[in-house]
Amino acid sequence: MTVRRPHLRLLLPLILLATCLALARGQSWTRLKNRFREHHVDFPERPADFPDNYCEMMMFKRGVYGTFIHTFIHAPTRSLKGVCSVGGIHVSTGLHRSIFHFTVTTSKYDLQIGSYTEKKYSWNIVIGCWSRLPVLYVE
C-alpha cells in the first residue's frame, strides 16, 4: 500500500484562508490602536487657541465632535502601554486599571450653554488592552 500525500489543491485554500484571517486580525488591531491614540492621547498637551476652548478645539481636530463625553489623556504612549502590563491591575477581560494617576481632561457637552465644558483630573484610568497595547478608553 502506498502512502498518499494531500493534494496541493486541497491545502492551498486552507493556507489562503489562514493567511487572510491573520491579516484581517492584524489590521483591526492596528486600526483600534491608532484610533485610541488619535482620539484619546494628547501628549504633550496642546494649548487652546482661546481660554476655556481646549475641548472645542480638540473635539474638532480629533474628529470626535458630537459626543457628549470624551476624555483626553495627557501622558506619553509608553506610559499607557505600561498599564497593559506591569503598570496596571487586571480588572476584567482585557481591561486594566492603572496603578499610577494620569492627568486627563474630560470634555462634557452642556446643553444649556451649547458647548463643551472641560475639567482636569488626576486619577487612575481604565483601558482595554489587546496584545499588551491600549486600544480602548473606558469612560
Side-chain angles (χ1 to χ4, degrees), residues 2 16-17 33 85-86 92 94 101 103-104 116 118 128 134-135:
T2 62
L16 288 174
L17 177 63
K33 179 184 69 162
S85 56
V86 296
S92 178
H101 287 200
T103 302
V104 300
Y116 287 93
E118 65 183 67
V135 294

Side-chain angles (χ1 to χ4, degrees), residues 15-25:
I15 293 170
L16 288 174
L17 177 63
T19 304
C20 289
L21 289 174
L23 288 173
R25 183 176 176 187

